[in-house]
Amino acid sequence: MRRTRLVSIAALLAAGAVSLAACSSSKNSTSSSTTPAGGGSSSSGADTVACQSGSLKSDGSTAQQNAMTQWIKDYQTKCSGATITYGGGGSGQGVTDFTNKQVDFAGSDAALDPTKGEVAAGTKACGSQAIDLPMVTGPIALGFNLKGVSGLTLTPDVIAKIFTGKITTWNDPAITALNSGASLPATKITVFNRSDASGTTQNFERYLAASAPTVWTTTPSKVWAGSGQGKKGNQLVGQAVQSTDGAIGYVEWSYAIQNNLTQAKIDNGGGPVELTADTVAKTISTATVAPSGTGDLTLKLDYATKTPGAYPIVLVTYEIVCTKYAAKGALVKSFMNFISSSTEQNAVHNLGYAALPASVQSQVQAQIAKIS
């Protein structure tokens, strides 16, 4: 199957991104000398890390797992006194582990939901305000495997009908009308979805609800509400699509790349758009921070954008942290400073991730500075 060419994501970083100041030490951790941040070509020679010793345990989003693996490796290379683990149990598991005090921070593709008591539960577990810090953008690819077909365009309504079981074969008139000139077989469509509570699922459902509201009428959540065969984690969904003729699934971009999946172009109303660095940048650049008054930095995304050249199916992965820790605040602060630096944002480009806009980065850094 033809692999979709991975283009540079450097376009997503605004020129002159704000560099991070090294975080201060705390009586709860031992600080070592400040050294340059590692893990890839630096976009800013000023990025530094004030190493802290100790251990952190975390869990959550599989969408950010590849990035987190790289970040942990880079941090521990620079800071040998630190041990950090991340289990990719899914966003739902991450939130549950955080509110049950099983981890020091959690990764999630969806911010804590106050209507479901998650903010209150997180704050209770922390003994201080729990907040969401957007850390990196993970576009969601519609990966497909269809023998003899190397390109495909889909619209929101058609996508929603495929993922709700209303369109069941690849030569359905609704699909062929969008792909004139393509020889689409009568192969049965096999849909793969996440079986675990997933922020990737919630963001994909938010896209469907915003762009195809007459077809997708279910309230978006971490639990998949459409049709299909469930697989746990982005990796297993990607593997299932890769090994099944006629398959389609939604996966975070890095897993589409990792599994060599051909990816559909999306036509939200402004013409077919391929998932690339530049097309994601057009959507992410319009993201705004929802005001909270608590330091929380939940982002609003325009999933229904019709802007020509803007790829609309995106997610932002968050780190859920406490504003105050009993014993590990300095290490959490140091690590969050490190991974939000321009150097480490660049370090995960080739893994299929996109950096946050500089304006959002600066707000994240300001909140990290308040962690104690």
Side-chain angles (χ1 to χ4, degrees):
M1 194 185 321
R2 188 184 68 177
R3 175 173 176 166
T4 299
R5 183 172 64 89
L6 174 62
V7 299
S8 170
I9 308 178
L12 288 174
L13 285 174
V18 179
S19 299
L20 288 176
C23 68
S24 61
S25 62
S26 155
K27 65 181 180 180
N28 297 317
S29 298
T30 302
S31 177
S32 67
S33 60
T34 300
T35 57
S41 59
S42 173
S43 65
S44 171
D47 285 336
T48 58
V49 54
C51 289
Q52 300 290 332
S53 62
S55 63
L56 295 177
K57 185 178 181 181
S58 57
D59 190 15
S61 162
T62 61
Q64 66 171 252
Q65 188 170 12
N66 289 335
M68 190 59 69
T69 297
Q70 181 69 49
W71 286 334
I72 289 173
K73 177 183 177 182
D74 292 348
Y75 187 83
Q76 291 180 159
T77 296
K78 292 295 181 181
C79 305
S80 58
T83 300
I84 303 170
T85 61
Y86 184 85
S91 297
Q93 187 64 51
V95 171
T96 297
D97 288 348
F98 184 78
T99 56
N100 287 338
K101 303 182 182 181
Q102 300 298 308
V103 294
D104 301 301
F105 69 90
S108 178
D109 308 331
L112 292 173
D113 190 340
T115 66
K116 296 181 179 179
E118 292 178 348
V119 174
T123 296
K124 181 179 179 180
C126 287
S128 63
Q129 184 69 45
I131 59 173
D132 301 283
L133 298 175
M135 198 56 66
V136 70
T137 307
I140 300 173
L142 289 187
F144 70 94
N145 178 358
L146 189 57
K147 187 176 181 180
V149 178
S150 59
L152 193 67
T153 294
L154 299 173
T155 60
D157 279 2
V158 169
I159 295 168
K161 288 176 181 177
I162 289 172
F163 281 89
T164 54
K166 294 180 174 66
I167 291 178
T168 59
T169 60
W170 282 109
N171 66 345
D172 185 283
I175 301 178
T176 58
L178 299 172
N179 296 275
S180 59
S183 180
L184 296 173
T187 306
K188 177 184 175 182
I189 298 174
T190 301
V191 172
F192 288 102
N193 59 271
R194 290 285 292 275
S195 61
D196 53 324
S198 162
T200 305
T201 292
Q202 187 168 33
N203 281 277
F204 183 51
E205 290 189 359
R206 284 173 175 166
Y207 165 74
L208 294 174
S211 60
T214 61
V215 181
W216 188 272
T217 58
T218 306
T219 300
S221 76
K222 294 186 181 77
V223 179
W224 178 242
S227 64
Q229 299 180 31
K231 299 292 180 181
K232 185 175 181 179
N234 276 288
Q235 177 65 7
L236 292 184
V237 172
Q239 289 176 358
V241 173
Q242 196 275 337
S243 62
T244 307
D245 183 36
I248 188 170
Y250 59 93
V251 291
E252 193 275 330
W253 193 17
S254 68
Y255 291 90
I257 295 167
Q258 193 175 86
N259 288 284
N260 201 29
L261 300 182
T262 306
Q263 301 160 34
K265 295 179 181 179
I266 309 301
D267 187 347
N268 248 30
V273 181
E274 181 182 358
L275 199 175
T276 70
D278 290 339
T279 61
V280 171
K282 283 194 175 183
T283 300
I284 296 301
S285 65
T286 64
T288 57
V289 176
S292 68
T294 64
D296 190 79
L297 297 177
T298 303
L299 295 189
K300 288 186 176 181
L301 299 169
D302 183 8
Y303 296 100
T305 179
K306 291 180 173 57
T307 301
Y311 184 85
I313 316 178
V314 296
L315 61 81
V316 174
T317 71
Y318 296 87
E319 311 312 324
I320 302 171
V321 301
C322 302
T323 50
K324 294 183 180 180
Y325 287 83
K328 299 186 178 183
L331 181 53
V332 171
K333 184 175 184 178
S334 174
F335 184 62
M336 292 298 146
N337 263 327
F338 182 75
I339 68 178
S340 63
S341 69
S342 57
T343 297
E344 289 306 302
Q345 292 280 305
N346 280 337
V348 295
H349 284 176
N350 289 338
L351 298 179
Y353 295 94
L356 293 168
S359 60
V360 176
Q361 274 188 305
S362 63
Q363 294 181 70
V364 169
Q365 294 159 6
Q367 291 306 317
I368 292 171
K370 298 176 183 179
I371 296 174
S372 62

